[in-house]
Amino acid sequence: MKSIKIEGQVRTDFGKSATRALRSEGMIPCVIYGGTETVSFSAPAASFRHLVYTPDFQLAEISVNGKTYRCIMKDLQFDVITDALAHIDFLELVEDKTVVANLPLKYTGQPEGVKAGGRLELKMKSVRVRTLPKYLKEYLEVNINDLKLNENMRVQDIVAENMEIMNSPRIPIASVVMTRALKQQENADAKEGKKK
């Protein structure tokens, strides 16, 4: 699984003015929690680019004061006016503690319904899972080969070993809908059938 390395510096000053000063230097204030200790640190905004602005699920290996923490991103805050990254919360991965994470869905295959003239509609890009850190993956693969025209694939159809999917099982994740051209063709065929 991909991971991004981040070098951070321990934060000693807190409060609005200290945080504002950090941001003016191009640093992002962050916190790591969930392990034996809570670590407040800051790191250059550029070091988060490949972690924040991507649909991929990745681990963050954060080094602070010579110690490395394996983490996942839990929460992001952006400035309401400038939309610049303002703060990140990280959850430290502890081997025997379950974590909740959003894993992307990777759709594979060519649906039967599309071959029959339908249009594929992807309704979900990720699902929320609860699992142990060792079972985390970059994505969950969903094979949509058997999806027929006017059918849905639901959360309950996702194969996710060693993890609990927390989304409602009946929510559709993908469907093949009839295109306007196909409907018109079916209507024309039905009219032809009546004439005979």
Side-chain angles (χ1 to χ4, degrees):
M1 185 191 267
K2 282 193 274 186
S3 64
I4 302 284
K5 288 185 175 11
I6 294 163
E7 292 288 331
Q9 287 107 34
V10 174
R11 282 179 65 198
T12 50
D13 294 343
F14 297 94
K16 282 189 176 172
S17 59
T19 305
R20 209 174 288 126
L22 266 179
R23 291 192 188 117
S24 70
E25 294 167 15
M27 303 292 272
I28 304 295
C30 306
V31 67
I32 299 171
Y33 61 89
T36 51
E37 57 185 337
T38 298
V39 182
S40 293
F41 74 99
S42 63
S47 59
F48 299 109
R49 190 173 297 126
H50 297 296
L51 189 66
V52 174
Y53 303 103
T54 175
D56 299 341
F57 178 77
Q58 302 173 93
L59 297 181
E61 290 184 17
I62 302 166
S63 299
V64 182
N65 267 11
K67 190 173 175 192
T68 302
Y69 303 86
R70 282 182 71 237
C71 307
I72 57 172
M73 211 166 37
K74 278 310 270 185
D75 191 35
L76 294 170
Q77 290 165 16
F78 292 92
D79 187 288
V80 288
I81 296 162
T82 64
D83 206 30
L85 187 58
H87 189 273
I88 307 179
D89 286 356
F90 289 97
L91 178 69
E92 186 180 351
L93 298 178
V94 180
E95 284 312 313
D96 56 350
K97 254 185 171 174
T98 59
V99 294
V100 173
N102 286 322
L103 292 186
L105 296 175
K106 182 181 180 185
Y107 295 94
T108 60
Q110 178 75 7
E112 285 182 28
V114 170
K115 292 175 189 165
R119 186 180 75 242
L120 176 66
E121 285 187 357
L122 301 178
K123 300 183 182 294
M124 281 179 85
K125 290 190 170 114
S126 65
V127 287
R128 207 167 164 75
V129 300
R130 179 185 287 130
T131 188
L132 288 169
K134 64 180 173 186
Y135 298 125
L136 285 172
K137 332 162 125 179
E138 284 181 40
Y139 54 81
L140 290 174
E141 198 167 292
V142 181
N143 187 318
I144 51 176
N145 273 332
D146 298 333
L147 195 55
K148 294 180 176 62
L149 196 58
N150 296 325
E151 275 188 359
N152 284 318
M153 191 165 228
R154 301 183 187 278
V155 168
Q156 66 196 20
D157 301 319
I158 300 170
V159 178
E161 288 177 27
N162 302 312
M163 52 183 79
E164 171 196 354
I165 297 178
M166 298 173 75
N167 304 67
S168 169
R170 300 292 300 150
I171 296 175
I173 58 168
S175 59
V176 176
V177 295
M178 200 178 272
T179 58
R180 188 177 293 146
L182 198 59
K183 275 184 191 163
Q184 288 170 342
Q185 182 62 45
E186 275 196 359
N187 290 340
D189 290 349
K191 283 178 187 166
E192 279 298 311
K194 284 180 185 171
K195 284 179 188 172
K196 286 178 183 173

